[in-house]
Each structure stands twice: as C-alpha cells, then as structure tokens.
Amino acid sequence: MTPKAGKPPSVITYLEMTEQPTSPPPVPAAKLALLRAERPPVPFYRFLYEQIGRRWQWTERVQMDDEALAAVIHDENVEIYVLYAGGAPAGFSELDRRQSPDIELAYFGLMAEFTGRAFGAHFLRWTVDQAWTHQPERLWVQASSEDDPHTLSLYQQSGFVVYDQKTVESGT
C-alpha cells in the first residue's frame, strides 16, 4: 500500500505484560456474552474485522485471500473471541499463540455502535485473563497512533507496559 500524500507518519507502540493482573476485573456496564468462535467461517470473520477495523485502517486481513485467511484463523493456536451485546456482535479479540511461549493479542476492537459504553475495559480484561490460562512468558500487543485515541491508555490501564515504539509511514 502506498503512503497517503501529506499524511503524517504513524507511531507503533509495543506493549507487554509478564504477569497476570491481580486487580479485580471491571464490571460490565450491560449484559454481555463472550463466546469463542471456533473455526469461524471466513465471511463472518471478515465481517467482524472490516466492521471494526475500517475506521482504524486495518488492512492486513482484508488483503489476504480466503485460503490464506482460513489457514490463520483456523490454526489451533489462534483463538478468536466475540463479544455480544443484546445478542448482536459488538467486538472481537484474537489471541495468537503460534510464537509460544509468548502470546500476541493480535486484534482487539469494538464496533462503533458499542464504543463509549465501558465494554472495552471489561472485554480486554476478559481477553487478558483468557490468554493467561495458557501460562505464557508474556502477553504482548501493538497499538498504532491511527487506532482509537483511547486504545493506548486502555492497554496501559489493563496492565500492559510500553517496551518499544517505532515510526512508520502511514498506510504502509
């Protein structure tokens, strides 16, 4: 992808946690359900990814063909969780355990209609706790300056600590 003319560079911040949080998890502000999507159909995954990522310029999985995407999301070491609010999909998270003993929180996000309702803190903590059931050496995630402005602080409030940053051309 070619960088957009005149667009400032993006800052990628890498965060990690090396111990499971011990503070009480946030209480959800509404009735929510969390389910693992085991071997989700590619169109359902694409729906979640595109609905959530469109605002934040997520492009990696959009550019993958169905076969390549299925190979990733159906891998036994990739876990996809869907947050439901009122019976409707509200967000998803993806834990990638393929680089054991580390786990990457590869994707995490809410659909626009469900932001600002305190769902994110609850869902993130639930996802973090789920990752720690596998006893990794560390859990890590990256945040972009193109993400929701609250993303970085949400990760830090959840126990992640910055360990690196880099600047990249936007749109790359």
Side-chain angles (χ1 to χ4, degrees):
M1 181 183 240
T2 305
K4 296 175 180 142
K7 192 164 183 187
S10 296
V11 176
I12 307 298
T13 302
Y14 298 88
L15 303 101
E16 67 183 355
M17 65 172 61
T18 56
E19 294 180 350
Q20 183 173 5
T22 57
S23 61
V27 177
K31 187 174 181 181
L32 303 174
L34 289 151
L35 296 173
R36 181 172 180 184
E38 296 182 23
R39 298 184 58 83
V42 168
F44 179 66
Y45 180 90
R46 285 194 188 281
F47 166 76
L48 294 171
Y49 185 90
E50 292 173 9
Q51 290 297 308
I52 294 165
R54 182 179 303 126
R55 295 178 300 153
W56 315 118
Q57 292 80 48
W58 291 1
T59 59
E60 180 184 16
R61 300 285 173 86
V62 172
Q63 297 169 355
M64 295 174 81
D65 65 39
D66 286 356
E67 186 176 319
L69 180 57
V72 172
I73 67 174
H74 295 162
D75 188 291
E76 67 181 13
N77 291 308
V78 173
E79 299 175 10
I80 297 163
Y81 296 96
V82 182
L83 173 71
Y84 292 89
F92 89 106
S93 62
E94 182 174 326
L95 295 173
D96 186 342
R97 298 184 292 112
R98 294 178 294 171
Q99 299 298 315
S100 182
D102 293 347
I103 297 177
E104 177 187 6
L105 175 53
Y107 290 99
F108 176 85
L110 298 176
M111 293 188 187
E113 301 83 357
F114 297 98
T115 59
R117 299 189 198 181
F119 294 174
H122 171 73
F123 185 32
L124 180 57
R125 176 56 184 272
W126 185 92
T127 301
V128 164
D129 287 345
Q130 183 60 36
W132 283 102
T133 66
H134 298 288
Q135 301 178 330
E137 285 187 11
R138 76 177 183 137
L139 174 61
W140 71 278
V141 65
Q142 64 180 336
S144 167
S145 56
E146 294 182 19
D147 288 341
D148 183 295
H150 300 103
T151 299
L152 188 56
S153 64
L154 178 64
Y155 288 149
Q156 290 174 310
Q157 291 168 11
S158 297
F160 286 94
V161 176
V162 174
Y163 71 90
D164 197 11
Q165 278 190 325
K166 70 179 181 179
T167 302
V168 296
E169 292 299 317
S170 292
T172 58

